[in-house]
Amino acid sequence: SSRHLAGTAANLILALLCLGALGALAGFEGPAQAAARLALGIFLLYGIVGFLSEVTRFVYRAIGLEVPQNQCAPALSRSAQEFWGSRWNRFVSHWLADLVFRPLARRRHAVLGILAAFLASATMHAWIALVPLGGGAALSMGLYFLVEGLVVVAEMPLQVHAWPEPVARAWTINV
């Protein structure tokens, strides 16, 4: 549909703009440039993943198979739990929920299930990063997902999902 085509094009444009901006920052040093590179890298990843998800759906649709959306407007998330649980990489999220979270949650260990799912994710990401990027990057990536699991657990008593929308989105972007 035209909506999917527009979303696919927007993701591609976002990725290309970020690549161009990253190239323009290549010769600069300092904390402001490092922060800008980090932000641009995040937006680049967002654009690439969104673009590839929609292209994959298009290819499957072309051969007669309907595949559900893997990304569901992640930028609209109002909590880290919503982002990871229902908007970003939904295939992996459902897989981790089925194999790791739900078996523990059914035994009344939901928090342990969340932490175990993020531990599994941290382990997978670290393993994927280890060979091409080295031990430091693998450790950093693994720690990131462990921290995100703690953030999701911390959001429960804070009831982030009930906060005013702009505040909840600001929280989500910053965690």
Side-chain angles (χ1 to χ4, degrees):
S1 75
S2 61
R3 186 180 68 131
H4 293 299
L5 183 59
T8 304
N11 281 318
L12 179 58
I13 290 167
L14 174 64
L16 291 173
L17 288 172
C18 289
L19 275 175
L22 283 165
L25 287 174
F28 296 98
E29 294 297 324
Q33 289 77 10
R37 284 194 302 268
L38 176 62
L40 286 167
I42 290 168
F43 285 115
L44 173 64
L45 177 65
Y46 184 93
I48 289 172
V49 170
F51 174 75
L52 291 176
S53 292
E54 287 305 317
V55 167
T56 301
R57 289 185 72 215
F58 174 79
V59 169
Y60 274 99
R61 204 175 298 123
I63 61 172
L65 299 172
E66 191 60 38
V67 177
Q69 273 186 300
N70 191 32
Q71 307 291 95
C72 186
L76 299 179
S77 300
R78 293 179 52 151
S79 68
Q81 188 279 326
E82 180 183 356
F83 178 84
W84 294 115
S86 61
R87 291 189 177 269
W88 182 263
N89 200 350
R90 293 169 28 170
F91 299 143
V92 172
S93 177
H94 292 306
W95 179 74
L96 288 169
D98 289 345
L99 295 177
V100 182
F101 171 74
R102 282 193 194 98
L104 290 164
R106 278 194 286 267
R107 291 179 177 87
R108 300 170 114 20
H109 300 294
V111 170
L112 182 59
I114 291 168
L115 295 174
F118 276 93
L119 175 62
S121 181
T123 303
M124 287 186 300
H125 282 87
W127 179 72
I128 290 168
L130 182 61
V131 171
L133 301 174
L139 179 63
S140 177
M141 195 170 287
L143 288 174
Y144 171 77
F145 284 95
L146 292 176
V147 168
E148 284 297 302
L150 294 173
V151 168
V152 169
V153 169
E155 284 182 345
M156 296 163 74
L158 295 173
Q159 297 187 348
V160 173
H161 64 278
W163 293 359
E165 187 173 327
V167 176
R169 286 220 176 110
W171 161 270
T172 305
I173 288 169
N174 286 292
V175 296

